[in-house]
Amino acid sequence: MPVLLNVQRALLAFRNWCRMITRSPANVQTNTIATRDEPALGWQTQLAQAIRDPRELCRRVGLEPSWLAGAERGHALFEVRVPEAYLQRIRPGDPQDPLLRQVLPRHVEDDTVAGFITDPLDEATQTPRQGVIHKYHGRVLLIASPACAINCRYCFRRHFPYQENSPSRAQWRDSLAYLRRDDSIREAILSGGDPLAANDRQLSWLVEQLADIPHLRRLRIHTRLPVVIPDRVDDALLDWLARTRLQTVVVLHINHANEIDDAVITACARLKALGVTLLNQSVLLHDINDSVDDLEALSERLFNAGILPYYLHVLDPVSGAAHFNVSDDGARRLIDELRTRLPGFLMPRLVREIPGEASKTAL
Ligand SMILES: *Cc1c(COP(=O)(O)O)cnc(C)c1O
Ligand code: SF4
């Protein structure tokens, strides 16, 4: 018996050592004897099984039947998508839940509101290559995946022609050539959709190609996946992230403190263990996070998870999302009061994206 135990201990020690030298972040886990919990379902399965039916969404969150017609109407404009791991953080039976409001389609999405249009950022005219958006000096945005793990009702890309912007490998080579030719580009930003909706084989290939461009210094990944399906931060992802020479920044997208549960904190810890810088951007959303208390709680909770607030965007005026809008004056008042409550490093920068400007514009 003791011999057997020793053998088991030796095996465990060996496995832990292997993990350490492969820079797998298993060593950031608590050091119980149990092997690291593998998720019951891989992230791709969780994504495939996400709720895509407005009726099912209403049923699962315990909404009154009166919400269904609106949910179906909005769904016809921009389909419902909510993975189980996100659904778990929604309070059942509460139509005011700040997470539910981000994903539940409503009648008002069908309203036409002056100034709210389908391509508010004019991205259709800023695409030098398919899947490449080059607006700002020194950084280029690459659409690495057309898909998202969740469909956020306020999304400025709800009308974006994703299909036309899902490049093949040959198109990628063309995009990479564009980056290689311009040595003012220091940073490649993977965006989407959600870039982490692409599989790790593709991402690993792409990041290797990027790292091969001498003037590129940084890789930035704008993603909501580690928040929506925390199991996305798995060994395969950490493997290619650990290998790249590029300094890596992950910009998460979290709008409310309730989105950060223990699984999100664990996913963030794994990324941080590789030296990844974690930032967050939020969108200021009416009746979701437009109170000083909500914004304060969000910043505190972000820091708790090792993430620094980066941007607080005012809503892009996309048609179907006008009901989420907060006025500029209201936004400034919120930020001014927030500043009296938080240390400077927990203050997000309030910005707007104006087509044609050389950077985001501070409000
Ligand atoms: C927002 C954005 C960036 C990044 O801007 P930062 O201010 O560096 O965060 C880069 N490219 C495009 C097209 C963008 O929309
Ligand atoms: S994850 Fe981002 S890109 Fe995708 S729907 Fe939500 S806001 Fe839009």
Side-chain angles (χ1 to χ4, degrees), residues 198-271:
N199 69 49
D200 291 305
R201 194 173 34 76
Q202 292 169 316
L203 289 167
S204 165
W205 176 83
L206 177 60
V207 169
E208 266 170 35
Q209 302 296 309
L210 290 168
D212 211 38
I213 301 173
H215 51 266
L216 272 192
R217 299 174 193 170
R218 284 186 298 278
L219 171 70
R220 200 198 307 184
I221 304 171
H222 276 232
T223 177
R224 193 150 157 69
L225 248 157
V227 181
V228 173
I229 303 178
D231 288 331
R232 176 65 185 93
V233 183
D234 61 6
D235 290 347
L237 171 82
L238 295 164
D239 180 61
W240 58 261
L241 265 182
R243 273 188 291 110
T244 184
R245 72 163 179 89
L246 299 165
Q247 278 195 291
T248 306
V249 181
V250 170
V251 181
L252 297 164
H253 173 182
I254 303 171
N255 300 312
H256 194 278
N258 292 3
E259 286 173 66
I260 305 174
D261 65 2
D262 288 347
V264 172
I265 291 177
T266 302
C268 289
R270 288 181 186 161
L271 293 169

Side-chain angles (χ1 to χ4, degrees), residues 295-311:
L295 293 174
E296 182 186 9
L298 173 60
S299 275
E300 291 283 352
R301 186 96 179 125
L302 286 170
F303 192 67
N304 203 246
I307 311 163
L308 284 173
Y310 181 41
Y311 282 143

Side-chain angles (χ1 to χ4, degrees), residues 123 133 135-136 139 141 189 220 310-311 353 360:
E123 288 191 328
I133 304 175
K135 281 194 198 172
Y136 302 154
R139 49 230 198 269
L141 196 145
I189 303 176
R220 200 198 307 184
Y310 181 41
Y311 282 143
E353 191 156 341
K360 312 275 187 253

Side-chain angles (χ1 to χ4, degrees), residues 93-105:
D94 180 5
Q96 304 309 320
D97 180 273
L99 276 56
L100 179 59
R101 292 184 68 98
Q102 296 181 49
V103 295
L104 178 70

